[in-house]
Amino acid sequence: MSDRKPIETWLTDMDGVLIHEGVPIPGADAFIKRLRESGKPFLVLTNNSIYTQRDLHARLSRMGLDVPAEHIWTSALATAKFLADQRPNGTAYVIGEAGLTTALHDVGYVLTDTDPDFVILGETRTYSFEAMTKAVRLINDGARFIATNPDETGPSAEGALPATGAVAALITKATGVEPYFVGKPNPLMMRAGLNAIGAHSENSAMIGDRMDTDIVSGMEAGMSTFLVLTGLTQSTDVERFPYRPTRVVDSIAAVVYVLCGWT
């Protein structure tokens, strides 16, 4: 890392890095505390589009992690920003929850099922056959297809749940139209987050637990990357990929030492 500028901005994934199944990972509280004390810009990222920033702030607070709402960046916010840039004040038919609909309203979008500019698919726990049928018909009629993220499954205490990517595949099969995915591993989500806090990739770092989403998107966005081994990717998996993280550490606790200037 000696050929890179000192890290002044930190982006970190949430699940698998800071929390696991609703429980903070050891060192996560110290990491957030140290970041806030340092005054360095930072964002906590999630591909989950269900919750608003305030929702996630409250959920993390109950776990003992004090992350201000403005330091949370979701695939819903990235999707809304992308659409506001591409087609300002547009219209959309949305399958999703408050995190997505609120973000779209905030950028001036009108939600409608009558001749929308876009069909936007996000995360929800109540996917309905009627809503998916409506989405298929609107896409067949010319609506552009956007999805917040490509994750095919999501975690729960009972086991894996079908997620946005799986439902997107169903709609694609029915229409022959592939969606544009805004969330990780699309580096657009990282770049939009950096822009939102006025940061630059050359002195920023991304912390994640997955090589195929967090690390590749951080790398493609031009950031340093830290792989933590508290989530899906394990140390034995790293060599299977044609790219490498800047650094592999056991957990977020080890990154605290980097923040403190220790190695």
Side-chain angles (χ1 to χ4, degrees), residues 6-258:
I7 298 170
E8 296 297 335
T9 303
W10 292 86
L11 274 60
T12 177
D13 187 36
M14 184 182 302
D15 293 307
V17 178
L18 301 179
I19 61 174
H20 177 67
E21 294 184 357
V23 177
I25 290 171
D29 54 347
F31 175 75
I32 297 298
K33 182 174 183 291
R34 177 59 185 159
L35 266 181
R36 298 192 66 184
E37 290 173 349
S38 72
K40 293 179 184 293
F42 74 96
L43 286 174
V44 173
L45 277 64
T46 177
N47 256 0
N48 191 316
S49 65
I50 290 178
Y51 304 107
T52 67
Q53 290 170 297
R54 286 186 296 174
D55 293 335
L56 288 170
H57 164 71
R59 290 169 67 87
L60 290 170
S61 292
R62 287 195 294 271
M63 300 177 204
L65 300 178
D66 188 11
V67 181
E70 63 270 22
H71 289 280
I72 296 171
W73 188 248
T74 71
S75 64
L77 293 168
T79 298
K81 177 66 170 62
F82 169 75
L83 291 172
D85 290 342
Q86 292 287 309
R87 188 176 289 263
N89 302 310
T91 60
Y93 176 70
V94 177
I95 300 176
E97 300 286 349
L100 180 56
T101 56
T102 300
L104 290 167
H105 279 140
D106 286 347
V107 297
Y109 258 62
V110 173
L111 307 189
T112 179
D113 62 358
T114 303
D115 193 26
D117 297 320
F118 297 94
V119 167
I120 305 175
L121 176 66
E123 207 76 51
T124 176
R125 295 291 182 261
T126 57
Y127 289 113
S128 74
F129 182 78
E130 290 78 11
M132 287 186 281
T133 300
K134 172 64 76 172
V136 166
R137 291 172 179 169
L138 290 171
I139 292 168
N140 283 338
D141 287 342
R144 302 153 188 86
F145 188 17
I146 300 286
T148 56
N149 68 87
D151 298 43
E152 295 171 352
T153 61
S156 79
E158 294 78 27
L161 297 170
T164 307
V167 179
L170 183 155
I171 294 173
T172 293
K173 196 71 173 177
T175 61
V177 176
E178 296 276 353
Y180 180 71
F181 292 106
V182 177
K184 298 176 295 179
N186 190 341
L188 176 71
M189 182 171 174
M190 307 295 183
R191 295 192 183 109
L194 290 172
N195 289 338
I197 58 176
H200 196 283
S201 60
E202 66 182 3
N203 56 8
S204 299
M206 174 65 197
I207 309 166
D209 71 304
R210 292 185 58 161
M211 287 288 289
D212 58 346
T213 56
D214 307 316
I215 301 305
V216 70
S217 56
M219 178 193 70
E220 290 180 353
M223 294 186 285
S224 298
T225 54
F226 286 71
L227 175 70
V228 297
L229 303 178
T230 49
L232 289 179
T233 302
Q234 297 303 301
S235 57
T236 52
D237 300 326
V238 175
E239 293 299 330
R240 296 174 44 230
F241 292 87
Y243 50 87
R244 292 186 59 83
T246 308
R247 190 162 173 176
V248 180
V249 296
D250 289 336
S251 73
I252 192 67
V255 186
V256 178
Y257 290 98
V258 178

